[in-house]
Amino acid sequence: MQIILVKAATDDAEEILEMQKAAFAPLLEKYKDLRTNPAAESLETVEDRLKSADTDTYFIVLGRTKIGVVRVKVQNDICNLKQILILPEYQGKGYAREAISLAEEKYPQAKQWELDTILQEERLCRLYTNAGYIPTGKIEKINEKMSLIYFSKKQ
């Protein structure tokens, strides 16, 4: 069964926050990153993003089930993949890779895509390199346990 992306609305904020907590809690526990981990965000932060004119948030839907979320920030001809989450019970099945492709198709004007992820998480880095993203060389230390690595992809 194929997934589709369905645009989220402002009143979906609570559901998105619950999904973020479910998907990102293990990483929050592992790295103790209260600054960048979506599981530590407030409802107001999620609502503000949903209201933002330069950011689109989509549910990743399998059949009739919302299995994840992808968020894209659009800045002229550069798109930033700000977040992708797949609920734990659906991880490891290729849905994240498929959702990235579907998100990229929604923005044909994008000449470049950018993202960041946790350097210490090999499976996340592999997901993005397999999707055609290349490390930019920029690494940002978040705390003693964790750094962010930045990727880009030319279209």
Side-chain angles (χ1 to χ4, degrees), residues 7 11 15-16 36 69 76 98 100 105 125 128 137 149:
K7 188 118 186 240
D11 60 355
E15 184 176 10
I16 291 169
T36 68
V69 174
N76 300 316
E98 191 176 345
I100 291 169
E105 288 172 12
C125 293
Y128 298 121
I149 182 171

Side-chain angles (χ1 to χ4, degrees), residues 9-29:
T10 307
D11 60 355
D12 293 318
E14 284 186 44
E15 184 176 10
I16 291 169
L17 182 59
E18 290 307 310
M19 293 174 84
Q20 287 179 187
K21 289 178 181 179
F24 292 108
L27 294 174
L28 180 61
E29 178 65 27

